[in-house]
Amino acid sequence: MPPQTSAELIRHIQALASSGASDLSPSELEPLRAATRALIAAFKAEGRLQEDPLHLAMTRNVELHREAAAAQLAGRRILVTGGAGCVGTRLRGLLAEFRPAALVCLDVAPHEGPGEACPVDIREAAAVDEAFARHRPEVVFHLASIREPGRAEAVVREAIETNVYGTGHVIAACRRHGVARAVYSSTGKCFAYVTDHVYTGSKKLAEFQWAVAARGGGPTRFATTRFTHVLENGIVARDIAEGIEAGLVGLHGADRFFNVQNLRQATHLLINALALAGEPVADGFWSAVDLGWPVNTLEMALFQIDRSGRDAAVRFLGVPRGYDERFFRGQFDWSGEIEYHPLLNALEAVEGYADSTGTMVGARFRPFPPDALDHELARLRQALDAPAAGGAETLKSALLQAVAGMAGAIFRQTPARQLLDILWWGTAPAWAGPGAAEAARYRTVAALLADALLPSLIENADWASDPAVRGKLLDVATTFALIPGMEARGAAFRQQAEAAARAA
């Protein structure tokens, strides 16, 4: 019997294109097309594809703080790194409306639209410094980066040198040349405590540098934004459009979802961050409030295929490196006391705030010793510069170790009760999975949390006399006992809980 439901059709498509070959013969492609047509019909029968999955996302807005922005932009010299990209191009168009004295696009790629070209690679510190000396910017927007997760995995050295040390070059030039305000465009992926990915890791180290600069005083006010996928600049939307044109759309899977925002939200967010730099805190970041529900990429592709009128097929390629995000449950606050936002983690959300329009949400970067960042950047630099430097995997490992080192430094400055909640939310038996398999996937972050928490338990055992605290400690101990390499930490948690129980 031919498949009828959408679930059956999805399994049928998976079976039809299970070889993984990049090219399909006409005899292989036609059954996929037929199955895709049937899947579109099944989705419609189930009440789906009635409207564009991206319709609401395209209507959302971040209200522009126009008066405050004009006070910082009108008649000023402005420089945008990475200004030739989609976001940078739209941003330059908006900035031109404020009638700046000069508008400079610092980018290795040629640009169209307003602004003077400045072809500089931010990996070259001397070239960046010379560009700042020549153009004397008063306002800087730093957008330049290796921004595609898949590409970052393929060009690890370039991603580190651009995203990490290139950002450091921009910060140094801002300070040296007296820039008044500078805004960094980061990514929502930085909400992760640790990461397995080059893109996220390199952007996190850039964020840490920007936070240190914001805390350091001096002539420049540094501000940060976090974006999620910008629709008009999105890799997923581009790949779907190109796939429809070619007749075959490759997707990572049928159950992949992603948060989205539109170009208007992104550019307004950047300008507002500039206008509000230093408010309400010096070392914070801004994101858009309204990101809606995550969008299903399969539904997005099927809608686009149906609307195009083309007989295109879909296939599932699997999740490539750089995109296989796994989110530790303790990434988010489950207390019910703090409103959820997908770009703020449980530590950051505690110090969240909103702007006066209610369309932006912000949070303060968690404190860490500046020398911890200096140490990690120096170790990473040493790995890059070693005469016998290893390949991409060696450099990636050094990058991820630096991010883990920073996570440990942050955890060591976090209150013990907060650490325990995060660890418990992520590893308690109720959601650790059979044999603690789910929790074991997050061994790195669990170990960092445990190592930061245990000294506080030993030195200040009184707070463990609370039965609720003891219960969480025992839950964590139970899970750790099942994870290879975590048994000793589990025994230490159990010992502290039992000692507190005897003393109670």
Side-chain angles (χ1 to χ4, degrees):
M1 183 176 180
Q4 299 294 323
T5 68
S6 60
E8 291 171 337
L9 285 161
I10 287 169
R11 288 194 293 271
H12 182 54
I13 289 171
Q14 290 170 328
L16 286 172
S18 60
S19 69
S22 57
D23 295 319
L24 298 179
S25 68
S27 62
E28 293 173 311
L29 186 56
E30 182 50 42
L32 270 179
R33 285 176 171 161
T36 300
R37 291 193 296 269
L39 184 57
I40 290 172
F43 266 43
K44 288 182 175 180
E46 295 168 7
R48 300 161 76 176
L49 306 185
Q50 302 304 307
E51 64 176 21
D52 188 342
L54 300 179
H55 171 71
L56 288 177
M58 293 302 294
T59 66
R60 297 179 193 130
N61 192 29
V62 165
E63 296 293 335
L64 192 60
H65 290 249
R66 188 170 293 276
E67 185 175 338
Q72 299 300 325
L73 296 171
R76 301 293 178 91
R77 297 183 300 277
I78 304 171
L79 183 146
V80 183
T81 77
C86 178
V87 175
T89 298
R90 169 65 182 265
L91 177 63
R92 284 186 290 109
L94 277 176
L95 293 173
E97 296 177 7
F98 288 94
R99 299 184 179 280
L103 181 56
V104 178
C105 177
L106 188 151
D107 203 315
V108 293
H111 79 273
E112 296 180 357
E116 177 184 351
C118 181
V120 166
D121 189 327
I122 64 168
R123 292 178 293 173
E124 302 296 331
V128 171
D129 189 71
E130 192 277 331
F132 274 63
R134 183 170 73 253
H135 294 287
R136 298 176 294 113
E138 299 166 274
V139 172
V140 168
F141 292 90
H142 177 36
L143 278 60
S145 72
I146 301 296
R147 71 173 187 86
E148 295 188 14
R151 185 183 172 211
E153 295 292 330
V155 293
V156 178
R157 176 180 290 275
E158 183 182 351
I160 294 172
E161 290 180 341
T162 302
N163 296 356
V164 179
Y165 296 101
T167 295
H169 299 157
V170 172
I171 291 170
C174 285
R175 285 173 159 166
R176 187 176 298 115
H177 297 283
V179 170
R181 298 193 176 201
V183 180
Y184 173 55
S185 170
S186 187
T187 171
K189 294 178 184 295
C190 285
F191 86 109
Y193 304 130
V194 299
T195 181
D196 295 327
H197 302 144
V198 173
Y199 174 71
T200 304
S202 61
K203 295 290 276 188
K204 281 188 72 68
L205 291 182
E207 260 198 7
F208 291 137
Q209 291 177 86
W210 215 263
V212 168
R215 292 166 181 160
T220 309
R221 285 190 177 184
F222 291 90
T224 304
T225 65
R226 275 188 189 171
F227 291 171
T228 187
H229 301 271
V230 178
L231 289 176
E232 299 90 332
N233 194 36
I235 301 164
V236 174
R238 180 200 66 195
D239 289 350
I240 289 174
E242 291 177 355
I244 292 173
E245 185 67 23
L248 181 60
V249 178
L251 302 172
H252 294 172
D255 57 352
R256 300 289 291 176
F257 293 81
F258 67 122
N259 289 105
V260 293
Q261 67 185 81
N262 61 55
L263 195 53
R264 178 176 57 255
Q265 285 177 299
T267 51
H268 285 192
L269 194 62
L270 285 163
I271 291 176
N272 285 351
L274 173 89
L276 303 179
E279 303 174 28
V281 297
D283 56 343
F285 62 89
W286 290 104
S287 294
V289 166
D290 187 4
L291 299 179
W293 291 102
V295 175
N296 175 239
T297 57
L298 174 59
E299 190 164 341
M300 178 177 165
L302 294 177
F303 181 88
Q304 295 293 341
I305 291 171
D306 187 47
R307 186 172 67 174
S308 74
R310 299 177 68 93
D311 192 17
V314 297
R315 68 179 301 194
F316 306 120
L317 303 173
V319 183
R321 296 184 68 184
Y323 294 92
D324 52 336
E325 285 119 336
R326 297 173 177 175
F327 297 129
F328 178 59
R329 193 176 183 275
Q331 209 69 48
F332 298 112
D333 189 304
W334 295 84
S335 67
E337 299 174 3
I338 296 175
E339 189 170 353
Y340 163 82
H341 190 279
L343 308 190
L344 276 65
N345 65 42
L347 288 177
E348 295 162 345
V350 171
E351 295 195 58
Y353 44 79
D355 76 323
S356 59
T357 72
T359 60
M360 296 201 307
V361 60
R364 193 171 196 171
F365 287 116
R366 296 298 298 182
F368 56 83
D371 60 355
L373 179 59
D374 293 340
H375 174 72
E376 298 300 342
L377 290 176
R379 286 206 310 172
L380 180 57
R381 182 79 262 176
Q382 186 176 20
L384 286 171
D385 294 344
E393 289 303 316
T394 299
L395 295 181
K396 177 177 178 177
S397 177
L399 170 68
L400 302 187
Q401 287 175 17
V403 173
M406 289 304 300
I410 290 170
F411 291 157
R412 287 190 292 274
Q413 297 206 353
T414 299
R417 286 181 181 270
Q418 195 175 7
L419 287 177
L420 178 58
D421 280 341
I422 290 170
L423 186 56
W424 183 72
W425 289 329
T427 63
W431 39 81
E438 182 66 21
R441 295 162 66 183
Y442 310 105
R443 183 185 291 105
T444 298
V445 67
L448 290 168
L449 287 162
D451 291 347
L453 178 57
L454 277 168
S456 295
L457 280 173
I458 295 168
E459 295 168 13
N460 305 288
D462 291 348
W463 69 283
S465 62
D466 182 340
V469 170
R470 290 203 307 273
K472 291 177 181 178
L473 293 174
L474 291 171
D475 275 350
V476 172
T478 299
T479 296
F480 279 9
L482 301 175
I483 300 176
M486 299 292 285
E487 299 92 344
R489 294 181 178 89
F493 273 90
R494 185 173 297 279
Q495 181 180 3
Q496 292 303 312
E498 291 173 350
R502 289 192 298 270

